[in-house]
Amino acid sequence: MDLSLTEDQLFMRDEANRFLAERASSETVRAAIASGGHDPTLWGSISRELGWCGIAIPEDDGGLGLGAFEMTLLLEETGRRLTPVPLWTTVSLSAPIIRALAADDARPGLLRRIASGDLAATVALPRPSASDPFEAIDFTARLDGSRWRLSGRCAAVFNLASADLVLIPARLTNGLGLFAIERGLISGIGALDTLDPTMPVASLSLHGITVEDDARIDRSEFEASAFAAPMLWARLGLAAEQVGAASGCLELTLAYIGERVQFGRSIASFQAVKHRCAELLVRIGEARSLLYGAAQSLSAGEEQAEAEIEGAGVLASEALWRAAEEAIQLHGGVGNTWEYDPHLYLRRAQVTANLFGSTETKLARIALNLPEAAA
Amino acid sequence: MSEQDLSAFRAEVADWMKAHLSGRFAVLVDRGHAGDGDALPDLRMEWERELAAGGWTCPAWPIEQGGRGLSISEQVAFQEEYARAGGPGRLGHIGEGLLGPTLIAFGTDAQKRRFLPPIREGRAFWCQGYSEPDAGSDLANIKTRARQDPETGDWLVTGQKVWTSLAHLSDWIFVVARCEEGSAGPKGLIFLLMPLDQKGIEIHPIRQIGGGSEFNSVFFDNARASADCVVGQPGDGWKVAMALLGFERGISTLGQQMGFARELDLIAALARENGAAESSAISNRIARAWIGLRAMRYMAMRMLADGADPQAKLESLGYKYQWSHWHRDLGKLGMDVLGFSGAAATDDPRTEKLRQLFFFTRADTVYGGTSEIQLNIIAERGLGMPKEPRGNAG
Ligand SMILES: Cc1cc2nc3c(=O)[nH]c(=O)nc-3n(C[C@H](O)[C@H](O)[C@H](O)COP(=O)(O)OP(=O)(O)OC[C@H]3O[C@@H](n4cnc5c(N)ncnc54)[C@H](O)[C@@H]3O)c2cc1C
């Protein structure tokens, strides 16, 4: 396994960083917050012009054919600025589920549309804060002639309002089916007022909506456990955004404390302040290292990939939480104002901390199948 | 080197270890590591010569200097297989890993010819004379004096070094001393090579918190370093001393991690056996240790990849802090898994190992730059924050 970044990877990361510094500044993020947490112009550039949605989609399906590692590099950059676009839900959550579960006649078309930037997608997760977010699926689907009729609800769907396509798992007579439904067909959407305005969430209710036969995209009925493998990508992508956000938050803090003077000296010269920033860097470096290793393990199909991704989730969400908490503390009074950005990171940190399981649940899952360390 | 060649190389090391770390050497398995560093010294010296005979001392040195010129991935493979086999703590480490590379970089040809072969052959053991009572974190505050004997050109050294690991088992010491009267800080220092067995040197063991004595005070009273035993120029000792510390980091960390992994596996196994793992608080801490170790491994790989990624370079400043705190937490976890049975001495080697680990890991965050000094370095060099002010006392 090689964890050095190739020239191409470095270039991609630096270009993404440069692009977002310009296009996802604090002002634009705040403007997007004021209009529902989505920046359609920026999303247009990212999805259509830059082609980021195709990052991990095979070339045969119109993507760039790169792997989990490149995906993490991009999501770190969007995370760094809390970029209000549905990239994570599209590339890490939806595309891998389509690749894993969609039938041959549906898959290439959908992936191609995602890769080309035509389609922002999301997934209805019945239990987003559970280790298995697909337990207790409420949606049911039954055949009505040649069409399907779907009913049920889902309390929280990420980036629903900006999605073009929603993937909905529904119970059939025996197992599950996966439905891909244009968002425009859905009327029961209720935006939630969640903590994090840069990552909008909405509830979704379907009251016997009928869709064409081809809206069902799976190969054949399946068990909820079939989601486990593609969901590794979603977990990894989430951790990537958290690591990026933690770095962005530390940068914000360093910039502020470098300017602020008390007792006739820069507050950045106080050792208590220095040490806390240094500790943050250590935590972030630790999380980023595991993130990269886990991404490579996932691509290489290593056995411990699952535990590593779970672990990266733990370290990433803790690093982000700590970075946000320290940012507010080290900003002092202004850290408690709406005007300064630390609270945006605090919001992201808290909302994501419990996605796909709390830290304790994640640790317990690793402990249950603890891989040998000296293997 | 291809993956295939590399695994063949791994197998070669593993086979050699299996064949040789047996018979009379079998008692050395897992012995002599930090906290147990003074265990079975005579047999461990013989083990060094066994390694030398197999060509496994100094494999990272260039071929011209008698090494094998191993690539980074081969060095990693060697370190990992050595540790996986339970290879004992290396008495030759300071000569092989620190002084040797320093001489290769800064030594004269005569010094290389004289000092490198005995290190490689496992016949000369070295210790590090840097710290002094008043020069710890502030290492540049060295007071030990070296003055030149005008007749012979030799250097006469007077002063005290402290915390000198394994001095009592060593033949030679490298010493940083002040050679310019009235100089201060990093200026006016000299890097000297001195035989320990001489009239002007006394070694006093210091008892550690775990009960053992791996380190010592070394007293110098007009002790002699011959004129040709100066490394670099007199006055340039700081540069040499710092370069030597640079060799301390790097490859051996992956071997060290293999040792950590074995410790963690031992703790996890004990927790399953004695039921401690049934507590989710304990099993979650074990899981956390596993995560931390994976993160450490990938951090080391990012460091060794040494590519153009400035982020990796920056974050590698945190490596010492990361591993030392991880290890210190592991030391506590081991005792918490044992519960009260860890409080009482037993003849169970596994319990004894964890008791040693508990005490020795306290030192991990002190030697080689304390955690506070690490954080200063990260903040100043990594994050560009202002430097610590210096005072005038002492
Ligand atoms: C097991 C062991 C083996 C060792 N082996 C060797 C050896 O072989 N050769 C050798 O030369 N040395 C050796 N050392 C010495 C080691 O390098 C020193 O102990 C270490 O550098 C700390 O110096 P000190 O003990 O004087 O502590 P001090 O420097 O007095 O530090 C005491 C406390 O003050 C803190 N402190 C000091 N300065 C600052 C600052 N600027 N900002 C914030 N906090 C500060 C420290 O972090 C520490 O917590 C060994 C030490 C140990 C424990």
Side-chain angles (χ1 to χ4, degrees):
Chain A
M1 184 183 291
D2 187 356
L3 287 186
S4 53
L5 270 69
T6 64
E7 254 174 56
D8 287 349
Q9 290 164 342
L10 272 172
F11 180 76
M12 186 189 80
R13 185 184 72 185
D14 293 347
E15 282 300 293
N17 184 292
R18 204 186 42 76
F19 171 81
L20 292 171
E22 213 172 281
R23 296 284 304 276
S25 65
S26 175
E27 294 73 45
T28 50
V29 170
R30 281 166 177 272
I33 290 173
S35 57
H38 177 50
D39 184 338
T41 325
L42 178 57
W43 176 242
S45 301
I46 285 177
S47 60
R48 293 215 171 76
E49 290 157 29
L50 300 175
W52 290 359
C53 296
I55 187 85
I57 290 176
E59 279 174 301
D60 283 350
D61 292 319
L64 297 174
L66 299 170
F69 190 41
E70 286 84 358
M71 180 190 82
T72 63
L73 293 177
L74 279 185
L75 286 168
E76 262 185 75
E77 295 310 320
T78 52
R80 186 183 301 275
R81 298 178 179 281
L82 306 177
T83 313
V85 293
L87 189 67
W88 171 66
T89 35
T90 302
V91 304
S92 309
L93 183 59
S94 305
I97 287 180
I98 292 170
R99 284 183 66 189
L101 296 175
D104 287 347
D105 56 346
R107 193 181 58 243
L110 287 172
L111 291 178
R112 202 164 279 279
R113 285 176 67 200
I114 287 180
S116 70
D118 257 6
L119 209 60
T122 191
V123 179
L125 300 171
R127 300 272 310 273
S129 56
S131 281
D132 173 8
F134 291 97
E135 69 181 27
I137 290 172
D138 184 56
F139 294 105
T140 52
R142 58 184 176 75
L143 264 180
D144 187 357
S146 69
R147 309 176 79 205
W148 287 96
R149 184 181 290 277
L150 276 86
S151 297
R153 54 174 276 115
C154 181
V157 184
F158 288 86
N159 291 327
L160 180 54
S162 54
D164 304 295
L165 191 79
V166 191
L167 299 176
I168 298 176
R171 287 192 280 123
L172 309 175
T173 14
N174 295 312
L176 297 174
L178 185 65
F179 292 81
I181 299 181
E182 303 285 336
R183 202 230 334 145
L185 297 176
I186 301 171
S187 54
I189 295 181
L192 305 181
D193 181 12
T194 65
L195 286 181
D196 180 3
T198 63
M199 203 189 199
V201 187
S203 66
L204 168 63
S205 341
L206 303 177
H207 307 284
I209 165 183
T210 53
V211 293
E212 296 301 326
D213 176 47
D214 63 1
R216 185 177 158 203
I217 61 167
D218 59 280
R219 272 186 294 270
S220 58
E221 290 186 33
F222 58 93
E223 304 283 318
S225 58
F227 284 111
M231 281 303 288
L232 292 176
W233 290 75
R235 293 170 192 265
L236 186 72
L238 179 71
E241 281 219 315
Q242 289 173 316
V243 168
S247 282
C249 187
L250 174 58
E251 283 165 24
L252 190 75
T253 305
L254 290 169
Y256 178 80
I257 64 180
E259 301 278 308
R260 173 79 177 155
V261 171
Q262 285 291 277
F263 298 96
R265 50 195 266 214
S266 158
I267 59 170
S269 69
F270 295 117
Q271 195 179 66
V273 175
K274 284 167 70 178
H275 280 191
R276 282 151 69 183
C277 293
E279 274 186 346
L280 282 176
L281 187 81
V282 175
R283 273 178 185 274
I284 293 170
E286 196 182 4
R288 181 173 281 119
S289 297
L290 186 54
L291 177 72
Y292 288 178
Q296 297 286 31
S297 294
L298 179 63
S299 287
E302 303 275 354
E303 215 176 304
Q304 81 281 5
E306 191 176 342
E308 286 179 359
I309 290 172
E310 200 81 274
V314 170
L315 296 185
S317 70
E318 288 179 343
L320 174 54
W321 171 255
R322 185 62 72 94
E325 190 173 52
E326 295 284 42
I328 290 183
Q329 177 67 19
L330 296 176
H331 275 71
V334 301
N336 290 275
T337 65
W338 186 270
E339 184 189 345
Y340 280 74
D341 287 345
H343 71 107
L344 298 178
Y345 290 92
L346 188 84
R347 292 163 179 277
R348 173 65 65 91
Q350 183 56 36
V351 168
T352 54
N354 293 301
L355 271 186
F356 312 139
S358 64
T359 290
E360 289 70 29
T361 322
K362 288 177 180 137
L363 290 173
R365 270 171 42 109
I366 296 170
L368 203 60
N369 281 308
L370 191 76
E372 198 185 326
Chain B
M1 169 171 269
S2 71
E3 284 294 321
Q4 227 173 3
D5 292 344
L6 197 60
S7 43
F9 177 74
R10 268 186 194 280
E12 183 191 342
V13 179
D15 287 348
W16 191 92
M17 288 296 288
K18 202 167 165 200
H20 293 258
L21 190 54
S22 60
R24 68 199 178 101
F25 290 124
V27 291
L28 290 183
V29 169
D30 279 339
R31 296 303 304 273
H33 293 286
D36 185 36
D38 47 359
L40 304 165
D42 295 334
L43 191 59
R44 276 165 63 218
M45 287 184 193
E46 285 182 53
W47 169 248
E48 291 287 326
R49 290 188 272 274
E50 184 80 6
L51 279 172
W56 294 117
T57 48
C58 312
W61 291 6
I63 292 167
E64 316 80 85
Q65 310 295 353
R68 290 189 177 214
L70 294 189
S71 68
I72 287 186
S73 42
E74 289 168 314
Q75 293 175 48
V76 167
F78 173 73
Q79 298 281 357
E80 289 190 339
E81 293 312 315
Y82 183 88
R84 197 198 304 274
R90 292 285 315 279
L91 281 177
H93 166 71
I94 293 179
E96 169 172 340
L98 299 181
L99 185 69
T102 307
L103 287 180
I104 291 170
F106 296 96
T108 61
D109 287 339
Q111 286 170 343
K112 290 180 210 176
R113 275 197 308 274
R114 177 174 175 194
F115 292 111
L116 295 182
I119 292 176
R120 198 185 59 238
E121 291 155 16
R123 287 189 291 110
F125 299 102
W126 286 81
C127 62
Q128 176 178 18
Y130 278 21
S131 304
E132 296 181 6
D134 287 333
S137 299
D138 187 10
L139 182 59
N141 194 34
I142 279 172
K143 296 196 171 135
T144 295
R145 273 183 302 116
R147 78 186 158 75
Q148 199 163 21
D149 177 348
E151 265 163 43
T152 57
D154 291 352
W155 293 85
L156 297 174
V157 176
T158 300
Q160 185 195 344
K161 294 292 173 181
V162 71
W163 321 126
T164 319
S165 297
L166 303 181
H168 58 303
L169 301 177
S170 299
D171 307 296
W172 287 80
I173 182 168
F174 49 88
V175 168
V176 186
R178 198 160 289 288
C179 62
E180 288 170 16
E181 202 90 33
S183 66
K187 294 203 186 69
L189 298 173
I190 189 169
F191 192 102
L192 294 168
L193 310 176
M194 305 180 72
L196 281 162
D197 187 11
Q198 60 166 297
K199 205 166 90 251
I201 294 186
E202 271 187 45
I203 299 172
H204 294 187
I206 304 173
R207 189 159 187 222
Q208 285 162 265
I209 55 174
S213 297
E214 296 165 274
F215 56 34
N216 307 269
S217 286
V218 183
F219 295 91
F220 299 81
D221 181 8
N222 277 310
R224 192 170 289 267
S226 68
D228 55 2
C229 283
V230 182
V231 183
Q233 293 302 312
D236 273 353
W238 183 255
K239 189 180 81 187
V240 180
M242 288 301 109
L244 179 139
L245 292 181
F247 296 117
E248 196 157 16
R249 300 174 247 283
I251 319 293
S252 60
T253 56
L254 280 160
Q256 180 192 29
Q257 285 185 23
M258 181 60 75
F260 291 175
R262 290 164 52 91
E263 291 161 2
L264 173 56
D265 285 339
L266 168 64
I267 291 171
L270 280 169
R272 280 190 294 269
E273 281 170 33
N274 76 2
E278 282 157 33
S279 139
S280 65
I282 289 284
S283 67
N284 282 7
R285 280 167 68 191
I286 293 174
R288 200 178 263 287
W290 184 85
I291 296 173
L293 189 61
R294 293 312 288 178
M296 214 187 292
R297 177 178 176 77
Y298 292 130
M299 173 62 94
M301 288 169 69
R302 288 172 73 203
M303 273 159 63
L304 294 177
D306 201 29
D309 181 9
Q311 185 89 49
K313 284 210 171 64
L314 168 65
E315 288 170 3
S316 68
L317 288 174
Y319 185 70
K320 159 87 209 290
Y321 187 88
Q322 187 183 340
W323 76 251
S324 59
H325 283 255
W326 181 91
H327 204 214
R328 199 171 73 174
D329 289 347
L330 189 77
K332 172 88 165 87
L333 177 59
M335 289 304 271
D336 289 344
V337 161
L338 288 174
F340 185 74
S341 72
T346 66
D347 48 14
D348 173 9
R350 299 194 300 175
T351 306
E352 281 313 298
K353 190 172 166 62
L354 294 189
R355 284 159 59 92
Q356 271 166 14
L357 186 72
F358 172 70
F359 284 114
F360 189 77
T361 52
R362 304 285 114 196
D364 285 333
T365 52
V366 172
Y367 68 80
T370 68
S371 295
E372 290 72 22
I373 296 302
Q374 299 298 328
L375 293 177
N376 283 347
I377 292 173
I378 297 166
E380 292 168 17
R381 282 194 224 149
L383 300 176
M385 299 175 84
K387 282 211 159 30
E388 290 295 301
R390 261 208 88 86
N392 300 319

